[in-house]
Amino acid sequence: MEFFSLVEPYLRQVNSLLEEQLLTGNELIENVAQYLLVASGKRLRPALVLLAGQFGTELSAARLQKLIEVATAVEMIHMATLVHDDIIDDAVMRRGMPAVRTQFNNTIAVLAGDFLFALAFRLFSSAGDLAIVDIAAKVVHVMCVGEIYQNMDHGQVATEEAYWRRIEAKTGFFLETSCRLGALATGVPERVETLLGQYGHHIGLAYQVVDDLLDWLANPETLGKAVGEDVAAGVYTLPIIYALRQERVGSQVQKILSGPHPENQVEELRHLLEKSGALQYAKTQAGHHIDKALEMCRQLPSGPAQRALEELAEFVLAREY
Amino acid sequence: MEFFSLVEPYLRQVNSLLEEQLLTGNELIENVAQYLLVASGKRLRPALVLLAGQFGTELSAARLQKLIEVATAVEMIHMATLVHDDIIDDAVMRRGMPAVRTQFNNTIAVLAGDFLFALAFRLFSSAGDLAIVDIAAKVVHVMCVGEIYQNMDHGQVATEEAYWRRIEAKTGFFLETSCRLGALATGVPERVETLLGQYGHHIGLAYQVVDDLLDWLANPETLGKAVGEDVAAGVYTLPIIYALRQERVGSQVQKILSGPHPENQVEELRHLLEKSGALQYAKTQAGHHIDKALEMCRQLPSGPAQRALEELAEFVLAREY
C-alpha cells in the first residue's frame, strides 16, 4: 500500500509534535491532552496535508518541517472543533470514550478547544506564509457558520440541498483546505493545487455521507457510538431526508420523527430506511463523489503520492468505522 | 482631551467594521452580534492599538486601514474571550446585561466565540504581516493558559505572586500586545514599540487590579454586576489575598471563606477588607503600575498621541466603572 509507506513515517512526526505541544507540564492541560491523544481519530486531515505535500520537487528538510507543522496544526483545529462540538451536541461519548465535557466539564472543554485553536494558529504562522494563515482562518470561519446553521436546523428536516451545503461547510471545505495547505507548504504549481483541492472537496463530501450512513449501519463497538445517535440528537442526515420523500415509507418515518420519542424507535427507523432504499441512495451519492475524486487523481502528476490518494479514496468509501 | 480627539474618529471606524463583519445576514449570528455590540465595553484594547499606531510617520490611507483592521480584530478576540469566559464562570450577567449564555445558551456562546476568533484571524492575516498573526495567536494562547490556571485555583486562595502571574496572563499581556500590534501595523522604530509594549503591560496590570477592586466598591448600577461577585464565583483577588495575611482580620476573613456560604457574607467581607487596609493596598499597587506606565510615556516621542496615553493612564486609575 503506497498510502501507508508515504504517510506513516510523517504521521509519526505529527504525533510527536502534537505530544510535544500538548504535554506542557500543566496538569490540567496534560490530562485533557493525554485524553485527546488516546481518543485519537484517524488523522485523515493531516494525512491529506502530508500527501498533498508530495507533489512538488523533492522535499528539503526545511519544507518537510513546515509540512509536518502545518499537518499538526490542521489536526489541532480538528481536535478543537471536536471538543467544542461535544458541548454543542451535549455529546456523552466520542470515539468510543466519554467526551471531554463528560470526562471533565464544559469549562475545560471550552478552554481546551480555545487552547488548541491558539496553538494551531501559532504553528500556521510559524510556517511563514500568510496564504496558509489565511485559508486556515477561513476554514474555521466556514465550519463555525456551518455549525450555526446546523444548530438552527436542530430538530428540523432540511432539504437535500441544505444537507449538502451543511456537510460542505462542516467537512468538504476542511478536507479541501487540508489538501491546499499541503500544496501551499511545499509549493506546487497552481494547477496541481487546484486539482488537490477539488480532490479534497469530493473526498470530504463522500466521507461525511459515509459517516452519516455509518450512524445507521455501524457496530457500536467499532464506531464507538450507538446507532441512530444523529436522530436522537435532532440532526437529520441524507438517509432520513431521502426516505421522507418516498411515498409510503415517508409518512411512516414522519410519524416516528414527530412522535414524542423518536430516539426509542431507532430500529423501526433503520428498517424503514433500508426498505425505502435510503441507505443505498446515500451510498450511491458517496460513490459519485469518490468517482469525482478519482477523476481528479487521474489528472494529477502520476507517482506514489497520486496512487496513495487513489487508495485513500477507495478506503473512504469502503470504511466501516 | 487629546484622547478623545485622537481615538474617537478611528474608534467609529472600528465600530463600523465590527458591524459590517458581524451583521452577516444570518439571523442567529445577527442576534448574538447585535447583543454583543450593544452590551459594548469600553473598547480599551482597540483604543490602545489606535494610539500606539500614531507614533510612526504620518498615517497613509493604506496604513490607517490596516490599523483599523487590527484594532477591530483585537476587539473581536476580546469579545470572544468574554463570551467563552461566561460559560466558564457560569456568569449570569455581563456588563449590566444578561450574559450570552443566559440570553441564548452554551451552544450559541461556544459558537459565537469561535466565530469571533476565526473572523479576528482572518483580519489579522489580511493585515499582511506574519509578525502580527504571530503575536495575536500568542496572546490567545497565553490567555487560555491563564484561564486554565485560574480554573485550577478555583475556590482556593493563591499567593500574591500567583495573582500577579494570573492577571499578567489575563490582561497584562493582552494590553501589551494591543500596543505592540498598533506599532507593528504602522511600522515604528523598535525602541518605541518596546516602550509602547511596556506601557501596555503596566496599564494592563493596573486595569485588572482596579477591576478586581471595583468588584468590592462599585455601584452595581454603573458596573452592571453585583458587589463581591468574584468571591461568590470562587475567585480570590488581591484585596482578599492581602487581608488574609493580616493578623487579626486574616482569621476572620478565613472563617467566612471556609464557611458554607461566603457569598452571603459579602458585606462583612467588605468591611473587613476596608478595616485591614486591603482595598487601599490594592489601590496603591495599581498606582505603582500607573506610575511605571507614565514613566514609559515620558520616554516616548512627545506629541498628542503621547499625551493621550498619559490621559488614558490617569483614567485607568480613576475609573469607577
Side-chain angles (χ1 to χ4, degrees):
Chain A
M1 297 278 282
E2 302 281 3
F3 180 77
F4 288 101
S5 63
L6 288 185
V7 170
E8 281 301 314
Y10 299 143
L11 221 40
R12 271 200 294 279
Q13 293 187 51
V14 168
N15 282 329
S16 304
L17 186 54
L18 270 177
E19 286 183 17
E20 186 190 312
Q21 295 263 321
L22 295 180
L23 304 181
T24 54
N26 173 291
E27 198 189 337
L28 189 62
I29 298 175
E30 291 217 345
N31 280 340
V32 178
Q34 287 283 15
Y35 167 85
L36 283 171
L37 291 168
V38 172
S40 247
K42 288 172 275 298
R43 305 274 191 262
L44 172 63
R45 290 155 189 82
L48 286 173
V49 176
L50 295 169
L51 282 174
Q54 296 182 42
F55 285 88
T57 48
E58 193 144 339
L59 281 174
S60 66
R63 282 217 163 149
L64 177 60
Q65 183 54 28
K66 193 165 150 179
L67 187 64
I68 301 288
E69 285 179 10
V70 169
T72 306
V74 161
E75 184 65 7
M76 286 175 174
I77 295 284
H78 180 54
M79 285 174 156
T81 58
L82 290 184
V83 175
H84 280 183
D85 283 359
D86 284 343
I87 306 175
I88 294 165
D89 303 339
D90 277 329
V92 177
M93 300 292 281
R94 162 73 66 188
R95 294 170 171 173
M97 291 177 66
V100 170
R101 60 170 290 279
T102 326
Q103 182 84 347
F104 304 93
N105 58 43
N106 274 347
T107 296
I108 305 300
V110 170
L111 286 172
D114 290 354
F115 180 77
L116 286 161
F117 277 130
L119 276 185
F121 276 94
R122 294 194 75 176
L123 279 180
F124 284 129
S125 132
S126 85
D129 180 347
L130 273 170
I132 287 179
V133 176
D134 202 46
I135 65 170
K138 188 171 174 193
V139 90
V140 178
H141 182 193
V142 166
M143 281 194 290
C144 273
V145 175
E147 268 293 337
I148 290 170
Y149 276 105
Q150 173 163 332
N151 206 262
M152 290 173 72
D153 285 345
H154 189 267
Q156 292 170 48
V157 180
T159 60
E160 183 167 338
E161 201 193 333
Y163 170 78
W164 289 107
R165 261 203 314 272
R166 190 218 296 165
I167 71 168
E168 164 62 11
K170 187 174 165 179
T171 314
F173 188 65
F174 195 1
L175 270 57
E176 175 182 335
T177 302
S178 300
C179 289
R180 280 185 188 275
L181 283 167
L184 280 169
T186 49
V188 304
E190 207 181 304
R191 196 189 74 89
V192 174
E193 187 194 320
T194 305
L195 285 170
L196 287 167
Q198 285 170 346
Y199 168 88
H201 160 79
H202 289 297
I203 286 287
L205 295 182
Y207 187 86
Q208 190 58 54
V209 171
V210 170
D211 219 56
D212 294 342
L213 195 53
L214 285 175
D215 190 54
W216 291 107
L217 295 178
N219 178 341
E221 279 173 32
T222 46
L223 196 69
K225 55 177 213 167
V227 169
E229 268 201 355
D230 288 339
V231 158
V235 176
Y236 302 129
T237 60
L238 190 54
I240 292 277
I241 293 167
Y242 177 89
L244 281 170
R245 284 203 305 255
Q246 309 314 308
E247 221 168 298
R248 282 233 305 288
V249 168
S251 56
Q252 291 170 275
V253 171
Q254 183 59 59
K255 206 174 147 194
I256 295 179
L257 293 183
S258 26
H261 293 295
E263 68 277 15
N264 297 339
Q265 288 175 276
V266 166
E267 257 319 305
E268 290 99 307
L269 274 174
R270 167 148 76 163
H271 178 71
L272 290 168
L273 294 181
E274 258 168 24
K275 191 169 133 188
S276 68
L279 301 179
Q280 191 48 52
Y281 175 77
K283 185 95 185 177
T284 308
Q285 292 297 314
H288 286 328
H289 283 288
I290 292 300
D291 288 344
K292 286 189 187 157
L294 289 170
E295 221 176 287
M296 300 302 140
C297 278
R298 279 190 292 276
Q299 298 173 59
L300 281 169
S302 59
Q306 177 226 25
R307 286 193 298 278
L309 288 177
E310 281 176 359
E311 286 171 15
L312 182 61
E314 309 285 0
F315 163 75
V316 163
L317 193 61
R319 79 194 174 99
E320 288 179 357
Y321 59 92
Chain B
M1 298 280 281
E2 301 281 1
F3 180 78
F4 288 102
S5 64
L6 287 185
V7 170
E8 281 301 315
Y10 299 143
L11 221 40
R12 270 201 294 279
Q13 292 186 52
V14 168
N15 282 328
S16 303
L17 186 54
L18 270 177
E19 286 183 16
E20 187 190 312
Q21 295 263 322
L22 295 180
L23 305 180
T24 54
N26 173 291
E27 200 189 336
L28 190 62
I29 297 174
E30 291 217 345
N31 281 340
V32 179
Q34 287 282 13
Y35 166 85
L36 283 171
L37 292 168
V38 172
S40 246
K42 290 173 273 301
R43 305 274 190 261
L44 172 63
R45 290 154 189 83
L48 286 172
V49 176
L50 295 169
L51 282 174
Q54 296 183 40
F55 285 86
T57 48
E58 192 143 340
L59 281 175
S60 66
R63 282 219 162 147
L64 178 59
Q65 183 55 28
K66 194 165 149 180
L67 187 65
I68 301 288
E69 284 178 11
V70 169
T72 305
V74 162
E75 183 66 8
M76 285 175 175
I77 295 285
H78 179 54
M79 285 174 156
T81 57
L82 289 184
V83 174
H84 280 182
D85 283 358
D86 285 342
I87 305 176
I88 293 164
D89 304 338
D90 277 332
V92 176
M93 299 292 282
R94 163 71 68 187
R95 294 170 172 174
M97 292 177 66
V100 169
R101 61 170 288 279
T102 326
Q103 182 84 346
F104 304 94
N105 58 42
N106 273 347
T107 297
I108 305 299
V110 170
L111 286 173
D114 290 354
F115 179 78
L116 285 161
F117 278 130
L119 276 185
F121 277 94
R122 295 195 73 177
L123 278 180
F124 283 128
S125 132
S126 85
D129 180 348
L130 272 169
I132 286 179
V133 176
D134 202 43
I135 64 169
K138 188 172 175 194
V139 90
V140 178
H141 183 194
V142 167
M143 282 195 290
C144 274
V145 174
E147 269 292 339
I148 289 169
Y149 277 104
Q150 173 162 332
N151 206 263
M152 289 172 72
D153 286 343
H154 191 267
Q156 291 170 51
V157 180
T159 60
E160 183 167 340
E161 201 194 333
Y163 170 80
W164 290 108
R165 262 204 313 274
R166 188 218 296 165
I167 71 169
E168 165 62 9
K170 187 175 166 179
T171 314
F173 189 64
F174 195 1
L175 270 56
E176 174 182 337
T177 303
S178 301
C179 289
R180 280 186 188 274
L181 283 167
L184 280 169
T186 50
V188 304
E190 208 181 304
R191 196 189 74 90
V192 175
E193 188 193 320
T194 305
L195 284 170
L196 286 167
Q198 285 169 347
Y199 168 88
H201 160 77
H202 289 297
I203 286 287
L205 295 182
Y207 187 86
Q208 190 58 54
V209 171
V210 171
D211 219 56
D212 293 342
L213 196 53
L214 285 175
D215 191 54
W216 291 106
L217 296 177
N219 178 342
E221 279 174 31
T222 46
L223 196 70
K225 56 177 209 165
V227 169
E229 269 201 354
D230 287 339
V231 159
V235 176
Y236 302 130
T237 61
L238 191 53
I240 291 277
I241 293 167
Y242 177 89
L244 280 170
R245 284 202 306 254
Q246 309 316 306
E247 222 169 296
R248 281 233 305 290
V249 168
S251 56
Q252 290 172 277
V253 170
Q254 183 60 58
K255 205 173 148 194
I256 295 180
L257 293 182
S258 27
H261 292 293
E263 68 277 17
N264 298 339
Q265 288 174 274
V266 166
E267 257 320 305
E268 290 97 309
L269 274 174
R270 168 150 72 167
H271 177 71
L272 289 167
L273 294 181
E274 260 168 23
K275 192 169 132 190
S276 68
L279 301 179
Q280 191 49 50
Y281 176 76
K283 185 95 183 179
T284 307
Q285 292 297 315
H288 286 329
H289 283 288
I290 292 299
D291 288 344
K292 287 189 185 156
L294 289 170
E295 220 176 289
M296 300 303 140
C297 278
R298 280 191 291 276
Q299 297 173 59
L300 281 168
S302 60
Q306 177 227 25
R307 286 195 297 278
L309 289 178
E310 282 176 357
E311 287 172 14
L312 182 60
E314 308 285 1
F315 164 75
V316 163
L317 193 61
R319 78 194 176 97
E320 289 179 354
Y321 59 92

